[in-house]
Amino acid sequence: MKKVLKIIGFGLGGLVLLLAGFCAYVVAVGVPTYDPPTIPEVTVERTPARVARGEVIAQIQCMACHADSENRLTGKHLAEAPSLFGKLYSKNITQDQEKGIGSWTDGELMYFLRTGVRRDGTYAPIMPQYPNMADEDLKSVVAWLRSDRFPVQPTRQEAPPTELSFVSLLLTHTLMKPLAYSPEPIALPDSTDPVALGRYTADAIGDCYGCHSGDMIDQSKTHPEKSKGYYGGGIEMKDEAGKTVVTANLTFDEQTGIAKKYTKEQFIRVVKLGVRPDGSILRQPMFPRPMLSDHEAGAIYEYLKTVPKIHHDIAKKSADVQLAER
Ligand code: HEC
Ligand code: HEC
């Protein structure tokens, strides 16, 4: 009997040592680096149509995280992120050669936006990846980054470096990984099919599921519908005042979803203007998206109707959180 206990004791001790060793390793290595990738050579033609479309996508995505108070993409503190992940800052993505992305090639930008990996093999874990964005839309984003628009003009100002928490570092050694670069071209959705267009706008461009699912980590960037609690909401985020705000359940669950809350017109209005039918205004980090057309916002509504319903009472969760914060 004693012998057995001793063996178990040694086993456990060994396990603890191993774990401690792994943690020390994670801290020492930091975010893992990968082999410098082979990046396809691409030259993106900068047409006015592309710059205009790129601007729409930038307003839905890039501006929220990269624009400073003067609307220039110099990088900023991401205050809405749960503090569990550390102190997060985005980067200067203006055309400045040194501080920004002036020296990146078009191919490098496209590769990075899909995979999260830079030309030197370093990996950016906090920056979202866009593996399902159509080639044409990705090219539009690049065309806009290269354009004469105000936010992307070269600026040397930059944000402090990110301080990742131990949890984040651990995640980069386990669950968070760069994505593979698909050599297959990705086509735009059929814009006359509302469900297809809605799905593309919400998942591939809008990253709506990234906040409106059940968990920030248990998500699939390549197959968003496999994310835990897909569109069931419930993630706790911070508004500008540092108060917790819980993301909404966007499924059509009759009791707890948006089925009864919004007609299609009301949904288009809340997404584009940030105002609910009762006149209340959505809080940060949810921001109005007037750059979406009614057709696109309405298509998201049509798509959400097809998403499996999830019973998840966000109003109750919100009330509980507020009570705890008092
Ligand atoms: C949720 C916030 C968020 C959004 C949205 C976002 N970014 Fe970022 N981005 C970041 C953060 C944070 C970093 C720094 C990542 C790091 O160093 O690990 C970053 C880094 C980058 C870099 C690398 C810069 C460098 O010098 O290493 C590029 C390029 C970039 N973003 C472009 C974009 C573009 C283009 C868009 C819109 C399509 C976009 N980002 C949307 C947060 C965001
Ligand atoms: C950065 C995280 C984030 C992203 C991205 C995001 N949302 Fe939200 N959304 C929220 C939060 C937080 C709330 C709750 C705001 C509140 O309670 O005031 C919210 C609320 C909403 C509401 C109101 C629901 C209600 O109960 O009244 C709708 C509709 C909505 N979002 C749709 C969308 C759509 C469509 C997209 C993609 C285009 C999107 N959201 C992207 C965080 C996000």
Side-chain angles (χ1 to χ4, degrees):
M1 188 62 198
K2 253 186 167 169
K3 202 170 172 191
V4 173
L5 281 180
K6 222 176 181 176
I7 292 173
I8 292 178
F10 274 131
L12 280 178
L15 212 64
V16 168
L17 267 180
L18 260 177
L19 264 177
F22 181 63
C23 293
Y25 164 80
V26 164
V27 171
V29 170
V31 179
T33 309
Y34 296 82
D35 289 338
T38 317
I39 293 175
E41 262 180 51
V42 192
T43 307
V44 174
E45 200 195 331
R46 209 188 310 144
T47 64
R50 276 193 178 147
V51 172
R53 172 67 179 164
E55 184 159 61
V56 168
I57 298 174
Q59 284 169 347
I60 296 172
Q61 283 294 321
C62 329
M63 300 294 285
C65 285
H66 284 277
D68 61 21
S69 56
E70 290 167 29
N71 225 22
R72 295 172 306 165
L73 299 185
T74 59
K76 67 166 195 172
H77 181 215
L78 303 179
E80 73 279 9
S83 49
L84 173 75
F85 295 114
K87 213 162 189 238
L88 310 180
Y89 295 90
S90 61
K91 288 210 182 295
N92 182 329
I93 57 166
T94 71
Q95 291 162 6
D96 188 83
Q97 289 287 329
E98 191 195 331
K99 306 285 184 191
I101 54 170
S103 69
W104 293 43
T105 65
D106 293 351
E108 285 165 359
L109 279 169
M110 290 179 66
Y111 190 94
F112 176 79
L113 290 172
R114 285 252 165 88
T115 64
V117 178
R118 300 182 186 88
R119 63 180 159 208
D120 60 358
T122 54
Y123 165 52
I126 305 299
M127 164 73 196
Q129 298 138 324
Y130 302 95
N132 299 326
M133 194 183 282
D135 292 11
E136 182 50 36
D137 275 347
L138 210 52
K139 287 180 181 167
S140 294
V141 171
V142 172
W144 179 78
L145 288 168
R146 308 282 196 216
S147 72
D148 59 359
R149 294 295 201 269
F150 174 77
V152 292
Q153 294 319 300
T155 313
R156 291 185 59 78
Q157 188 183 316
E158 58 185 340
T162 283
E163 293 164 35
L164 289 180
S165 67
F166 178 68
V167 172
S168 289
L169 279 181
L170 203 57
L171 284 171
T172 64
H173 285 265
T174 49
L175 299 173
M176 286 166 112
K177 291 269 148 78
L179 298 179
Y181 190 79
S182 162
E184 300 299 321
I186 303 178
L188 286 167
D190 173 0
S191 63
T192 62
D193 174 350
V195 173
L197 177 67
R199 176 182 182 180
Y200 178 78
T201 309
D203 285 358
I205 304 286
D207 204 13
C208 313
Y209 76 95
C211 289
H212 285 279
S213 293
D215 190 274
M216 281 205 109
I217 295 158
D218 197 345
Q219 297 190 349
S220 170
K221 292 284 163 200
T222 45
H223 298 90
E225 69 285 354
K226 290 191 183 153
S227 302
K228 184 177 170 191
Y230 182 59
Y231 285 117
I235 295 177
E236 294 179 24
M237 307 191 105
K238 299 280 180 212
D239 70 7
E240 283 155 323
K243 283 238 163 67
T244 302
V245 44
V246 185
T247 66
N249 180 348
L250 298 185
T251 71
F252 271 72
D253 178 63
E254 281 78 11
Q255 281 94 40
T256 62
I258 57 167
K260 268 195 228 129
K261 246 183 184 162
Y262 298 106
T263 63
K264 189 168 171 178
E265 283 63 40
Q266 288 168 336
F267 181 82
I268 294 172
R269 187 171 136 93
V270 75
V271 170
K272 289 184 66 170
L273 304 179
V275 185
R276 292 198 186 87
D278 67 3
S280 61
I281 291 174
L282 295 188
R283 287 186 291 160
Q284 294 278 350
M286 181 69 202
F287 61 89
R289 290 167 172 79
M291 61 304 255
L292 286 176
S293 66
D294 285 12
H295 183 57
E296 286 168 320
I300 296 179
Y301 187 79
E302 294 304 328
Y303 173 59
L304 290 171
K305 274 189 193 163
T306 71
V307 168
K309 295 171 189 174
I310 296 177
H311 188 91
H312 195 182
D313 193 346
I314 304 301
K316 182 173 178 306
K317 182 163 184 175
S318 251
D320 290 350
V321 168
Q322 271 167 23
L323 216 64
E325 274 188 352
R326 286 253 173 85

